[in-house]
């Protein structure tokens, strides 16, 4: 399988190249040259497979020659063996129509583990074929940092430097990062907001003094391999609910549009998805774009679902590319306009194709609390704030055929956001036993002021230069 950039001018790469590159050199995002498609019989034959086997089967067409089928299977078994539930992503029924897909049984209690556990192994596998050493630099508002650190801790050809805004992540989130004491893990608490930390990281990617010496890499959801790994659980859920004979709808708590784009990929591969419901909080840029074609940035308002508090949904570009007929030059032009003015209007073709599958809904804080209370009081299920926003959108969806089940993706364990859960339901969730000693573990991190030069120097002193082994 070959990967091309959404902006049309970066070189095409194979799966290994696209995984290691992250962002394309023309500023675009890598997508497969064509969507692989399964027949109805092939999908029916996947029913009942263990999760790791299903994962290998769904991902094989994307991986192509970069891994043998046997090696891919081994990596899936290793990645998903670390989950605390034998089904990896179990499905829970709430009422006659509503279901919840629990994606939070990984090591750091959020759905990001599903993709990052595999990505860590893919990095290691591909780096073992060369003399390269990579330096992952990232900024996190919470969930991505801990999932990425867990996925690469102790891997010899990878260093990870994770910046979090000092004092602005929860104690659970900080400890999930700072109690990992492996020598290749470097946590930096930096003065300022998440946006300041993010700006420091972006500057480093454009700093030729740094990129010349170090192979700096990213693990955010612009990385194609992350989306690919997320396609699998759409298959897992739909198969359990009767696919391919029965259609299924999904409601997805959305921030950067990676998770819900994976659902779109599943539908392009032949999975019969009736509808994808894009659920946002009051930071609703994608909900507005889908409802009215208006994609324009506002100011981010902090909420109790912080992983959805975003300005720009990077992965929306992948959908715009596909819906616009895969014209890289036209999309590059559209994105240049957006980057200059922070606003754009979708074309009629984009709007028509997107509205064939997607709807959107936005939940304000009281909608979120109400959905959390309904699940707790009527169904005995405790949901985190992100999942509650998805459930609100799922229950508000109109016009679905009566026999179509609606699956809300549960993106985080409620214990990660126990204060917000307690405020809405009166119930205090405990951390699961497997992470129960988090508050007894030793922490290690460095506190740095916000200036770029200081951060770059600190990283340069500790990172391993590219081709160090060569
Ligand atoms: C990252 C995250 C999201 C948003 O997912 P995207 O792929 O960025 O749309 C939603 N909920 C939780 C808990 C997350 O960590």
């Amino acid at each position: 399988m070959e990967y091309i950039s959404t902006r049309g001018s970066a070189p095409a790469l194979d799966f290994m190249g696209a995984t290691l590159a992250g962002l394309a050199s023309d500023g675009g995002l890598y997508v497969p040259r064509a969507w692989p498609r399964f027949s109805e019989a092939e999908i029916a034959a996947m029913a009942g497979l263990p999760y790791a086997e299903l994962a290998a089967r769904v991902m094989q067409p994307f991986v192509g020659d970069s891994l043998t089928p046997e090696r891919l299977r081994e990596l899936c078994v290793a990645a998903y063996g670390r989950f605390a539930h034998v089904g990896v992503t179990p499905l829970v029924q709430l009422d006659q129509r509503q279901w919840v897909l629990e994606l939070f049984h990984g090591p750091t209690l959020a759905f990001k583990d599903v993709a990052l556990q595999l990505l860590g192994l893919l990095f290691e596998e591909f780096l073992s074929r060369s003399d390269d050493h990579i330096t992952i630099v990232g900024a996190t508002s919470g969930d991505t940092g801990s999932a990425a650190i867990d996925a690469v801790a102790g891997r010899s050809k990878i260093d990870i430097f994770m910046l979090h805004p000092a004092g602005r992540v929860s104690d659970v989130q900080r400890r999930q990062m700072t109690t990992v004491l492996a020598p290749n893990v470097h946590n930096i608490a930096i003065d300022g907001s998440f946006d300041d930390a993010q700006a420091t990281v972006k500057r480093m990617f454009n700093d030729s003094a740094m990129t010349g010496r170090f192979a700096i890499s990213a693990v955010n959801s612009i990385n194609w391999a992350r989306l690919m790994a997320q396609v699998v659980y759409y298959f897992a859920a739909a198969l359990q609910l009767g696919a391919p004979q029965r259609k299924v709808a999904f409601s997805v708590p959305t921030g950067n549009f990676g998770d819900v784009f994976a659902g779109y990929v599943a539908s392009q591969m032949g999975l019969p998805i009736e509808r994808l419901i894009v659920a946002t909080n009051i930071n609703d840029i994608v909900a507005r774009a889908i409802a009215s074609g208006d994609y324009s940035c506002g100011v981010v308002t902090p909420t109790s679902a912080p992983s959805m508090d975003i300005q720009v949904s990077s992965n929306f570009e992948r959908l715009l590319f596909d819906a616009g007929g895969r014209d890289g030059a036209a999309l590059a032009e559209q994105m240049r306009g957006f980057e200059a003015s922070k606003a754009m209007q979708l074309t009629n073709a984009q709007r028509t194709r997107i509205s064939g599958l997607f709807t959107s809904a936005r939940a304000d804080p009281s909608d979120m609390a109400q959905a959390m209370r309904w699940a707790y009081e009527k169904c005995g299920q405790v949901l985190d704030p992100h999942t509650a926003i998805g459930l609100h959108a799922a229950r508000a969806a109109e016009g679905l055929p009566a026999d179509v089940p609606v699956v809300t993706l549960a993106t985080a364990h409620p214990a990660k956001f126990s204060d917000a859960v307690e405020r809405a339901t009166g119930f205090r969730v405990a951390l699961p036993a497997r992470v129960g000693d988090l508050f007894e573990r030793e922490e290690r991190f460095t506190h740095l002021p916000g200036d770029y030069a200081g951060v770059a120097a600190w990283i340069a002193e500790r990172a391993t230069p590219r081709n160090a082994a060569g």
Side-chain angles (χ1 to χ4, degrees), residues 110-112 143 253-259 307-308 384 386 411-412 417:
F111 86 97
K112 307 242 171 11
D143 295 334
T254 294
N256 235 339
F257 210 77
D259 209 3
S307 296
M308 296 160 69
D384 97 286
H386 305 80
T411 49
F417 301 95

Side-chain angles (χ1 to χ4, degrees), residues 31 62 78 97 182 211 230-231 244 249 257 316 366 384 393 397-398 453 470:
V31 288
F62 293 116
R97 163 164 276 181
T211 58
Q230 292 170 211
V231 175
F257 210 77
F316 197 56
S366 93
D384 97 286
E398 287 171 359

Side-chain angles (χ1 to χ4, degrees), residues 283-300:
N283 299 294
D284 62 348
I285 179 168
V286 265
R288 274 184 286 119
I290 288 168
S292 70
D294 165 35
Y295 190 79
S296 57
C297 283
V299 181
V300 173

